[in-house]
Amino acid sequence: MPLDLAVIQPHIARMAAQAHTQSLADHLEAACARLREADAAHLLEVIAERERSKERIPWLVAKPREEIGAAYPPPPLPSPDFSVVATDGSAIPPDRHSPLRFFVLNTGLARLTYGQRPDAHLWARSLFCADEEDLYITAAGRRIPVEGARLGLRMALEELGALFEAAQEAPAAGPVLALHDGSLIFWALHNEEEAVLRYFLPQILDSLERFQKAGIAVASYISYPGAQDVANSLRLLVCGKDAQHCGQCAGASAEERALCRALADFRDQALFLRHLQPGQRSAICDSTSAILDRYGEQRVQFFYLHTGEEIARLEAPQWVMQDETSRRFLHAAVADQCRRGRGYPQALIEAHEEAVITTGEHRLVEQMVEEALAAQGVVYVRSAKDRSKRERGV
Amino acid sequence: MERIGEIVATSSNSLTAVSFTLHQPPALGSLVRVDVEGERRTVYGVVSFGTTTGLDPGRRVVRRSTEDVHDAAIYAEHPQLEKTLRTEFTALLVGYCGPDGRVHQHLPPQPPPLHYSVCTCDAEEVERFSQQRSYFRLLLAAAGELPPEQLLAAHIRETAAARGDDGEWLAAAAREVAALLKGEYDRLLGLLQAIEPR
C-alpha cells in the first residue's frame, strides 16, 4: 500500500480539531446575530455606494430583494395535482488517450405527477457526439475543443432542452415545476473567451425563455452549496469601508476584525442552517456574479431552503422569483420534494439514477468503438500510458 | 388466458419472469404457460416463488410510511415506486405440449425463450394438464427457495380450486403424494395437512 496512512493521520486529526473550535462556533453565532439584525435597505445602500466608488467589492455579494434576515415558512401547495420534472446529466468526456475524438452525453429525466392520478415517467436520452460541430467551437478560424468546463456547458444545454420538452409533456392537471441539477448561474462562461460565451450564452438564455413563454416555473437545485454571497454581504456590514484592505480596517474593533475574518471562511449554508427552520426559505437575493449582467430578462436570483436535512440553494430566473404564484409554488413544491425524498428532491434522485453512466457502460462504449473500427480494418491503439495503467503488469 | 409477465431468465428446468403488475405475481403453485410461436409448442410451469425488490440492486429499499401515509397511500405519495420496484416470479417447468397436441409431463426439450410472455392457464387447461400427475415428482425433486412439499401442497390447493373444488381429484392427488413420499412420514404429514380441505 503506497499511501502512508500513518503519516496522514495526525494531520487529519489536527485539521478536524481546527475546524471545530469554540471561537469558530462563537463567530458563527455572532454572524447569525448580524444576519437577524441586518437591514436590507442599509445593506443595499452600502453595496450601491461601493459600486459607485472606484473601490470594487472583491467578492460576490448577495443583494437582498426582501429583508435579508427573513425566514418564510413553506406555503401550501397550490393544488393537490401537480408535476415535478427534473433532469441530471452524465458524460463520457473526450479521451485524449484514444485515437478518436468523441463524447457521450446522457440526460436522465424524471417526471413525477401527484394528486388524483399519480404517475411517474423515468427515462434517459443518450447522445453520441463525434461530428466537427459537436466537438469544436469555431472562432475566427480557430477550433476550440468542447471539453472540461465547455463540455459541462454543453451538457447543461442538453439538460435544459430535455427538461423543457419533458415539462411540456406533463399532464395538464395542475402546475409543473422544472428542476435542473446544479447552478443556473453559468459563471464558468466568464473565464471563457468571448467566442465561447457567444456560442453558449444565447442558447442558455433561449432555453430559459422557452420556459418563460410556456409559463413553466424553472429552477435549479444545489445541494450543500459552497456559495458565500450572504456571508460576504455581512462582511460589508461588519468591516465598514475598506473592503480591499480586509483585515486592516481602521476604526474596526479587534472583535469586528476577527468576525470579518471568520465570515470569509463561512459558507452561507452554515449561517442558514442555524437561521432557518426545516421547510423555511431565506430572502430572495440577486447575485453579483458578472455573467448575470448578460442574462437580461433571464437574470437569475436565489434563495436558501432548509430541506430538513441541509441547506439547499435554489436558483431561478427573476420572472419565477418575482411572481408570487411561481415563487410560492417553487418553495412549496421543493420543500415537498425534499420531504418525499428524505432530504433531497425525489425527482432529482430519479433523474440522477437515469443519467448515471456506469464504468461497465463506459467500457462497453469503448469496446463498441473498437469493434466498429476493427470492422473498417483499423486497429484501435490507445496511448501507451493508458494501456500500461489498464494492464498493471508486475 | 392472460399475459402476466415477461421471461427475464430461463433454463432447462425453470423460468423467471417480471410480473406486469407490481405486487401481483401469479398465485404460488398455480399453473402458467408460455406459448412458443413458430414451434407450436406450449411450455407449462408451476409458480414456485415470488418476490418484489428494487429494480436496481444497488438501491436500498427505505422506509416510506408516516403517521398519515401508509400502505397503499405510500404508492400515491411516491409514484416513482411503480417504476423503481419490480415483482418477479419463478416457475418450475413441469411439462409441455407439442404440435401433436399431446401433453407431456416431463421437462421440455428446450428452455422457453427469453422475453416471451408468461400467461395464466384457464380452468379447462388446468383440468386437462392435471389429469395425469406424474409431474408431481418434478416438483418434489425441485431445489428451489421453498420446501418442495410446501410448493406441491400449494399447487394441489390451487389446482383443486381451479377444478371447482374437485374432491375426487384431491383424494387422488393425496394418494399420489402418499406413494411418492412413502418412508418420509414427516414430509408427507406436512403436505397432507397443507392440502386438507377446511
Side-chain angles (χ1 to χ4, degrees), chain A residues 164 167-168 178 204-219 295-299 317-321 323 326:
Chain A
F164 178 71
Q168 274 206 316
I204 290 169
L205 298 182
D206 278 353
S207 294
L208 295 176
E209 198 180 327
R210 285 166 81 195
F211 285 100
Q212 185 180 15
K213 284 185 175 154
I216 297 168
V218 60
Y295 270 47
E297 209 181 336
Q298 303 304 327
R299 189 176 184 92
Q318 51 85 25
W319 54 266
V320 174
M321 291 293 201
D323 175 70
S326 304

Side-chain angles (χ1 to χ4, degrees), chain A residues 234-309:
Chain A
L234 294 179
R235 286 179 78 186
L236 292 183
L237 295 180
V238 171
C239 77
K241 289 180 180 170
D242 192 0
Q244 276 186 328
H245 301 95
C246 182
Q248 305 159 22
C249 329
S253 68
E255 194 187 320
E256 283 173 336
R257 286 182 206 186
L259 175 58
C260 185
R261 274 197 300 274
L263 273 167
D265 288 331
F266 289 153
R267 292 179 185 184
D268 291 353
Q269 56 156 310
L271 297 176
F272 285 106
L273 196 58
R274 285 179 168 235
H275 185 69
L276 299 175
Q277 295 296 312
Q280 287 183 333
R281 73 160 172 89
S282 72
I284 288 171
C285 297
D286 272 310
S287 159
T288 52
S289 186
I291 192 70
L292 288 177
D293 293 340
R294 302 176 73 152
Y295 270 47
E297 209 181 336
Q298 303 304 327
R299 189 176 184 92
V300 168
Q301 298 172 336
F302 69 89
F303 63 71
Y304 291 101
L305 174 79
H306 194 312
T307 66
E309 294 287 325

Side-chain angles (χ1 to χ4, degrees), chain A residues 113-114 118-120 122 339-340 342 346 349-350 353, chain B residues 56 59 62-64 75-80 83-84:
Chain A
T113 302
Y114 302 99
D119 191 20
L122 314 174
R339 181 183 60 76
R340 293 181 203 256
R342 301 154 61 91
Q346 189 67 52
I349 295 175
E350 301 305 336
E353 291 292 335
Chain B
D56 181 343
R59 290 180 79 178
V62 294
R63 182 190 151 166
R64 298 278 180 192
Y75 289 85
E77 180 90 347
H78 301 281
Q80 78 281 357
K83 302 288 163 70
T84 54

Side-chain angles (χ1 to χ4, degrees), chain A residues 39-67:
Chain A
D39 175 48
H42 173 59
L43 174 60
L44 288 173
E45 251 170 57
V46 172
I47 296 172
E49 193 182 314
R50 201 63 70 79
E51 282 175 342
R52 276 193 300 273
S53 73
K54 288 179 199 160
E55 224 177 82
R56 238 186 91 251
I57 305 172
W59 332 290
L60 291 181
V61 292
K63 289 179 172 177
R65 303 287 301 235
E66 299 164 300
E67 272 309 332

Side-chain angles (χ1 to χ4, degrees), chain B residues 100-153:
Chain B
D100 58 0
R102 274 183 54 208
V103 171
H104 303 268
Q105 294 194 341
H106 51 80
L107 291 175
Q110 281 92 28
L114 274 176
H115 299 300
Y116 270 49
S117 301
V118 180
C119 303
T120 54
C121 292
D122 58 25
E124 196 181 308
E125 198 168 14
V126 172
E127 191 171 337
R128 193 162 73 100
F129 187 83
S130 60
Q131 215 51 47
Q132 300 295 314
R133 289 171 292 273
S134 51
Y135 66 98
F136 279 16
R137 276 178 195 280
L138 285 172
L139 293 179
L140 274 181
E145 284 85 349
L146 301 182
E149 58 274 18
Q150 288 303 317
L151 172 61
L152 180 54

Side-chain angles (χ1 to χ4, degrees), chain A residues 121-179:
Chain A
H121 193 38
L122 314 174
W123 74 110
R125 271 177 27 172
S126 309
L127 197 63
F128 183 85
C129 299
D131 293 337
E132 175 75 20
E133 60 269 29
D134 286 320
L135 297 175
Y136 300 99
I137 296 163
T138 312
R142 278 187 316 117
R143 297 153 90 214
I144 304 169
V146 176
E147 60 189 7
R150 293 184 287 276
L151 185 65
L153 288 160
R154 175 66 203 275
M155 184 80 247
L157 264 181
E158 286 302 318
E159 289 175 40
L160 285 172
L163 187 64
F164 178 71
E165 285 170 30
Q168 274 206 316
E169 288 159 14
V176 182
L177 173 65
L179 263 188

Side-chain angles (χ1 to χ4, degrees), chain A residues 172-196:
Chain A
V176 182
L177 173 65
L179 263 188
H180 173 75
D181 184 49
S183 181
L184 284 179
I185 303 175
F186 296 98
W187 54 267
L189 275 174
H190 214 67
N191 302 330
E192 298 288 343
E193 52 189 285
E194 187 65 22
V196 174

